[in-house]
Amino acid sequence: EAQVTQNPRYLITVTGKKLTVTCSQNMNHEYMSWYRQDPGLGLRQIYYSMNVEVTDKGDVPEGYKVSRKEKRNFPLILESPSPNQTSLYFCASGKNYGYTFGSGTRLTVV
Amino acid sequence: KQEVTQIPAALSVPEGENLVLNCSFTDSAIYNLQWFRQDPGKGLTSLLLIQSSQREQTSGRLNASLDKSSGRSTLYIAASQPGDSATYLCAVIGTSYGKLTFGQGTILTVHP
């Protein structure tokens, strides 16, 4: 089954403790992207990657890092999480032919 | 900068009604347009993808149209059911590196 898999689904952490949210796709897509969703602000792009070793900032990249060492994986890294990064995060892959989204990661930073 | 607006923000209808959700975008230089459904706290499920060269796309009770020149898309849901209750999101895929820009969504409630 074609899918985008994110882990974990839920995460509660403390301010400053580094964390990684993993994302993997099995559709051989070149393009992958991370979004965060907040009430009243909608979905906003954090980072995107057009291919292996090619990444760029989206609209709200501050406080986040990404890497793309393999085509199927695109992890999101929060080096020093802060409470304003509490949000629902989505990974997506695809591009002009349409996007497939993961099930989301609900992150709470206390 | 592309901006996407969805109207109405919320809609409550009785079961069986046909309904229309609207989406408008400011920059007509888009590659494609995609409609999604999101249940509370869940992920996004793709409903329909309309390529910029197409005028409409159909899947079951859903029909989406696209008028690129006027910057509008419409999602038509026929014979609505309580299971259709969800947030419907419109997203345009831009010609610049395929960026996806979302509207704020329409919250649909279909009551029995």
Side-chain angles (χ1 to χ4, degrees), chain A residues 45-80:
Chain A
Q45 190 182 55
I46 303 170
Y47 267 95
Y48 65 95
S49 170
M50 299 185 75
N51 213 328
V52 176
E53 302 291 1
V54 181
T55 63
D56 207 347
K57 298 176 181 178
D59 297 319
V60 289
E62 296 77 20
Y64 305 95
K65 284 178 57 178
V66 293
S67 69
R68 188 87 181 276
K69 292 183 170 55
E70 306 167 279
K71 198 172 188 179
R72 63 182 291 121
N73 295 323
F74 190 44
L76 179 69
I77 304 157
L78 284 72
E79 295 267 358
S80 183

Side-chain angles (χ1 to χ4, degrees), chain A residues 9 31 35 37 40-43 45 48 50 57 59 88 90 95-104 106, chain B residues 1 31-32 34 36 38 41-46 49 51 89 93-95 97-104:
Chain A
R9 290 293 310 277
Y31 187 93
Y35 294 83
Q37 186 177 35
L41 297 175
L43 279 144
Q45 190 182 55
Y48 65 95
M50 299 185 75
K57 298 176 181 178
D59 297 319
L88 180 58
F90 290 103
K95 196 179 172 182
N96 300 333
Y97 33 82
Y99 283 80
T100 300
F101 278 75
S103 299
R106 185 166 293 281
Chain B
K1 178 184 175 184
Y31 204 89
N32 293 324
Q34 195 166 2
F36 294 90
Q38 185 178 26
K42 304 291 186 181
L44 280 70
T45 300
S46 180
L49 173 74
Q51 297 180 13
L89 293 159
I93 301 174
T95 54
Y97 64 85
K99 181 179 179 180
L100 201 60
T101 303
F102 284 89
Q104 292 286 334

Side-chain angles (χ1 to χ4, degrees), chain B residues 64-99:
Chain B
S65 66
L66 174 64
D67 185 344
K68 204 172 77 162
S69 61
S70 67
R72 294 182 182 182
S73 177
T74 297
L75 180 67
Y76 177 83
I77 303 176
S80 57
Q81 303 169 359
D84 294 330
S85 298
T87 297
Y88 290 80
L89 293 159
C90 166
V92 297
I93 301 174
T95 54
S96 176
Y97 64 85
K99 181 179 179 180

Side-chain angles (χ1 to χ4, degrees), chain B residues 14-70:
Chain B
E15 182 176 5
E17 276 205 6
N18 301 322
L19 49 97
V20 174
L21 308 182
N22 296 293
C23 171
S24 62
F25 45 94
T26 55
D27 185 353
S28 61
I30 68 169
Y31 204 89
N32 293 324
L33 185 143
Q34 195 166 2
W35 282 93
F36 294 90
R37 168 189 172 135
Q38 185 178 26
D39 294 290
K42 304 291 186 181
L44 280 70
T45 300
S46 180
L47 298 173
L48 290 165
L49 173 74
I50 310 177
Q51 297 180 13
S52 60
S53 58
Q54 295 177 315
R55 297 284 295 185
E56 65 179 77
Q57 194 68 253
T58 298
S59 176
R61 294 182 293 108
L62 305 179
N63 174 275
S65 66
L66 174 64
D67 185 344
K68 204 172 77 162
S69 61
S70 67

